[in-house]
Amino acid sequence: MQRAQLADAVRYDDNGLIPAIIVSTKDDAVLMLGYMNDEAIQKTLETNTVTFWSRSKGRLWMKGESSGNTLELESIHVDCDQDALLVRVRANGPTCHTGNRSCFFTEVEG
């Protein structure tokens, strides 16, 4: 699929969002889950820096806009149902706002 076709090829939810699973190209670690709308996808493709739609802020949000810990786009993959994205990135610093490399650092035990 060509980059220009991506935004039209995906199935957004009722809020115009699609989940984006962020994975490190360095070691395939899952770093975070974010949501993208059409504008966030277009901005990501234009800048090669991953941008999300922040549900809490109600606006576009570029990961690292205040911390500098940006996510450089390597590739985007659409799942078989076209309702989720796998975004492979080069992370420039920790991904989680807590300072952890990944947002998935809490293991559920038992």
Side-chain angles (χ1 to χ4, degrees):
M1 171 184 309
Q2 297 296 315
R3 284 183 166 206
Q5 300 170 310
L6 178 60
D8 293 329
V10 298
R11 293 180 32 218
Y12 298 101
D13 68 13
D14 292 340
N15 296 312
L17 301 174
I18 187 168
I21 304 161
I22 309 303
V23 175
S24 171
T25 56
K26 179 180 177 182
D27 60 3
D28 293 328
V30 176
L31 300 177
M32 67 174 284
L33 171 71
Y35 291 87
M36 297 175 129
N37 62 6
D38 181 61
E39 191 177 2
I41 290 173
Q42 293 307 321
K43 184 90 169 167
T44 297
L45 294 173
E46 289 169 10
T47 64
N48 283 324
T49 301
V50 180
T51 300
F52 300 97
W53 175 259
S54 172
R55 296 175 301 161
S56 60
K57 296 174 183 164
R59 65 172 176 84
L60 285 182
W61 166 68
M62 182 189 75
K63 173 70 183 103
E65 66 186 20
S66 59
S67 69
N69 298 328
T70 57
L71 300 171
E72 293 180 49
L73 179 65
E74 285 290 320
S75 62
I76 299 178
H77 306 260
V78 182
D79 81 331
C80 59
D81 294 323
Q82 290 94 19
D83 62 358
L85 301 175
L86 177 70
V87 182
R88 296 182 54 79
V89 303
R90 280 190 316 266
N92 296 309
T95 300
C96 186
H97 73 280
T98 64
N100 284 288
R101 178 170 183 255
S102 168
C103 294
F104 296 98
F105 58 88
T106 304
E107 183 177 352
V108 178
E109 298 178 18

